[in-house]
Amino acid sequence: MIKGHPLKGAFVDFINEINGSTLFSYVEKVEKGDPICFYENGKEWYKGERFYFKDRDGERTIAGLGSVQTIQSSKAERFEDVEGQWDALMKRASIHNPYDIYGTGPVAFGGFSFDPLRPQGEEWSRFAPSFFYVPELMMTVYGGETYVTVNMMCEDVESGRLFDQIEERKQAILSDLKRSFEKEAVLMELRAGDTQAWKESVQAAVHRIEADDDLKKVVLARKATAAFDGTISSDRILRRLDEGQPDSFVFSIEAMDSCFLGASPERLVKKRAQTVLTTCLAGSTGRGATEQEDEQLADALLHDNKNRMEHDYVVQMIREEMQAMCDYVAVPDAPVVMKVRDIQHLYTPVIGGADKDESILRFVRALHPTPALGGLPSEKALSVIRELEDMDRGFYAAPVGWMDYRKNGEFAVAIRSGLLVQNEAFLYAGCGVVAESVAEMELEETNMKLRPMLRAIGGGNE
């Protein structure tokens, strides 16, 4: 059956012609599959090299296993360097994809650290400042249909055996799409960090803003650390996020014995051909215990001067950046309220039109970090963050997502997230500090934003 694969002949012809290492990729439509089970079942062969990405609208889910090519960069021009490496690989690739479905065929999945100038924390040592990989096997579910992409790096005619080996592995994983969990590690200790020192840093940021007419906003983050009695299983946590946060981007990316994962409400950018979508998400409040209380909180958020100011800073910056890159840009006149399980946000969608051959990474570079995660103006706010924040954010609050061989893709802003390293989980949350900020209220906001990951790791519902 495997040796009679319709693309085996094309593969043999290809490897007879190549000179040096290059990529052979093909896409097949298969029976309905479950990407999260695909992710879980791949652990036997691909532990430490898996990813998962479900978009916020539930339109598309992608799960990847293995890595046939890793793209990393520590250069100052890291976005351009990653794009250059990706383009070089695609120029030598043989791609067999009969489907006009975004997120099939060769895809690079990964992300960029929030601030490459920040000294790297030990917990982030498995991740390069720019870290992407091309999976060996990938499942894409879109429009109720399931597609599987197979990628393999070919060196010479000896690669012929690789085709059969990967096909056998693919069939084994697809034939056993069921849950399989290891024993769950028990949460032993949760350390919130020095909250008094953090509140003092918020107050220091307020003083900086009051003293500098140009500095409008600084986003400060904090970290909580959870210790377990054994190695944490990312599969169980990912499934909890997937089931418990249906209105969010759900993502996971492994790097050896580490896994960064989360459920973020915020899109950084999505590109399909000429259409570019991005999001302004800033200004937050909690959810009400009743529907009436929930609506009262939403109404108060819409009319709160501090939150509207914080949101407007984001809208202004994103409008300017999009106008510089697009033929047209459409921005609503006022925000609406986006509701997710624990939090309500002020939300303004932005849509633009661009050249279909423009890379999504150009937009990622221009939009990161937005004022919602860094501050305004960006460089001045980053300088304050480096001084006042006593941790490396790593990939927290940074772009995480995928790009395909047609210059399209989607990146979320990796908030509501955490890093798993063996028996520890590092959870992150931040808030926007403006002149009107009160340190105690900002601390409570970060506690609210920690809830989704705390719940996912087994830390309770509060």
Side-chain angles (χ1 to χ4, degrees):
M1 176 181 172
I2 294 173
K3 292 187 178 180
H5 193 286
L7 283 172
K8 184 66 178 292
F11 176 78
V12 172
D13 291 341
F14 173 68
I15 60 176
N16 283 329
E17 295 174 1
I18 64 173
N19 179 22
S21 177
T22 192
L23 178 71
F24 186 86
S25 177
Y26 59 95
V27 182
E28 298 174 316
K29 195 173 182 180
V30 300
E31 293 183 5
K32 185 177 181 180
D34 181 347
I36 203 163
C37 285
F38 181 81
Y39 176 95
E40 291 164 354
N41 288 353
K43 178 184 284 190
E44 180 179 348
W45 292 280
Y46 300 107
K47 185 177 182 180
E49 293 182 332
R50 297 179 296 164
F51 74 78
Y52 182 87
F53 190 90
K54 183 194 76 175
D55 67 30
R56 192 184 63 207
D57 305 317
E59 182 182 61
R60 187 184 324 271
T61 304
I62 304 175
L65 306 174
S67 176
V68 300
Q69 181 82 1
T70 302
I71 298 173
Q72 301 184 34
S73 178
S74 301
K75 295 183 178 180
E77 299 299 321
R78 55 184 179 154
F79 298 97
E80 293 83 354
D81 187 31
V82 167
E83 184 174 355
Q85 293 182 56
W86 178 238
D87 287 346
L89 178 63
M90 290 303 97
K91 285 177 182 178
R92 289 180 52 77
S94 176
I95 302 169
H96 301 261
N97 185 4
Y99 306 102
D100 187 25
I101 302 295
Y102 295 108
T104 61
V107 161
F109 183 90
F112 299 90
S113 63
F114 179 81
D115 182 3
L117 298 184
R118 164 78 72 174
Q120 190 176 56
E122 172 60 29
E123 66 267 30
W124 288 102
S125 61
R126 287 78 164 174
F127 290 85
S130 306
F131 180 79
F132 288 80
Y133 57 82
V134 183
E136 186 170 274
L137 296 175
M138 185 177 74
M139 176 179 284
T140 305
V141 174
Y142 173 78
E145 303 289 349
T146 304
Y147 305 85
V148 172
T149 299
V150 178
N151 297 309
M152 57 189 79
M153 293 301 296
C154 308
E155 301 286 347
D156 50 38
V157 293
E158 293 300 316
S159 299
R161 289 191 293 272
L162 180 63
F163 188 99
D164 294 332
Q165 291 169 359
I166 295 175
E167 273 293 318
E168 288 173 356
R169 197 173 297 168
K170 180 191 79 176
Q171 296 296 342
I173 292 171
L174 290 176
S175 65
D176 188 28
L177 290 181
K178 66 178 187 300
R179 301 184 188 194
S180 177
F181 291 125
E182 302 170 350
K183 180 182 177 182
E184 184 170 18
V186 177
L187 177 62
M188 303 298 289
E189 181 186 11
L190 180 64
R191 301 185 295 274
D194 189 338
T195 55
Q196 181 58 39
W198 189 83
K199 288 191 292 183
E200 290 172 2
S201 71
V202 171
Q203 193 57 49
V206 170
H207 291 326
R208 297 292 183 85
I209 293 167
E210 291 173 338
D212 187 338
D213 291 338
D214 291 331
L215 186 60
K216 306 299 183 184
K217 176 182 176 181
V218 176
V219 179
L220 292 178
R222 52 183 284 252
K223 175 174 66 176
T225 305
F228 292 77
D229 68 350
T231 301
I232 310 164
S233 170
S234 64
D235 294 22
R236 196 184 300 267
I237 296 172
L238 176 61
R239 188 173 281 277
R240 284 184 184 141
L241 291 170
D242 194 67
E243 294 173 350
Q245 303 287 335
D247 300 321
S248 296
F249 291 95
V250 177
F251 59 89
S252 173
I253 180 169
E254 293 184 324
M256 297 183 286
D257 61 353
S258 298
C259 181
F260 179 59
L261 73 176
S264 171
E266 185 168 358
R267 170 184 289 126
L268 180 66
V269 65
K270 173 182 181 178
K271 180 180 178 292
R272 293 187 186 175
Q274 291 95 346
T275 303
V276 182
L277 301 174
T278 186
T279 295
C280 307
L281 198 73
S284 308
T285 192
R287 299 298 305 268
T290 65
E291 184 175 346
Q292 181 180 9
E293 183 185 359
D294 203 54
E295 291 307 314
Q296 289 173 344
L297 287 168
D299 186 66
L301 178 63
L302 281 168
H303 295 91
D304 180 77
N305 288 335
K306 182 261 184 186
N307 280 290
R308 285 298 295 267
M309 180 190 306
E310 185 181 343
H311 186 81
D312 287 345
Y313 290 151
V314 180
V315 173
Q316 293 168 23
M317 174 270 191
I318 287 182
R319 179 192 283 116
E320 290 176 5
E321 293 293 347
M322 289 285 282
Q323 287 174 338
M325 296 183 291
C326 296
D327 299 325
Y328 72 88
V329 176
V331 184
D333 293 332
V336 296
V337 174
M338 173 194 287
K339 299 174 184 284
V340 293
R341 180 169 175 175
D342 298 283
I343 309 174
Q344 305 185 72
H345 296 282
L346 292 178
Y347 165 72
T348 300
V350 178
I351 185 170
D355 190 307
K356 69 179 181 63
D357 294 322
E358 186 69 76
S359 170
I360 187 173
L361 288 189
R362 182 182 176 216
F363 293 90
V364 173
R365 178 182 183 275
L367 295 173
H368 172 72
T370 73
L373 280 310
L376 193 74
S378 180
E379 286 304 317
K380 186 168 285 191
L382 284 173
S383 178
V384 176
I385 292 169
R386 290 175 190 134
E387 182 180 343
L388 297 181
E389 215 172 79
D390 64 350
M391 67 174 189
D392 172 24
R393 293 187 183 187
F395 278 28
Y396 164 71
V400 170
W402 59 273
M403 55 183 176
D404 68 16
Y405 64 102
R406 292 174 285 198
K407 304 289 187 179
N408 301 296
E410 184 162 26
F411 283 80
V413 180
I415 54 177
R416 315 293 187 271
S417 56
L419 175 68
L420 312 179
V421 185
Q422 299 176 6
N423 68 328
E424 289 187 299
F426 303 89
L427 312 182
Y428 303 88
C431 62
V433 180
V434 294
E436 292 80 6
S437 290
V438 177
E440 187 63 41
M441 293 178 65
E442 301 298 354
L443 178 66
E444 181 54 36
E445 181 176 327
T446 61
N447 288 334
M448 178 175 61
K449 290 175 177 177
L450 285 169
R451 286 177 190 165
M453 283 303 300
L454 279 171
R455 185 186 302 116
I457 67 171
N461 294 321
E462 295 301 319

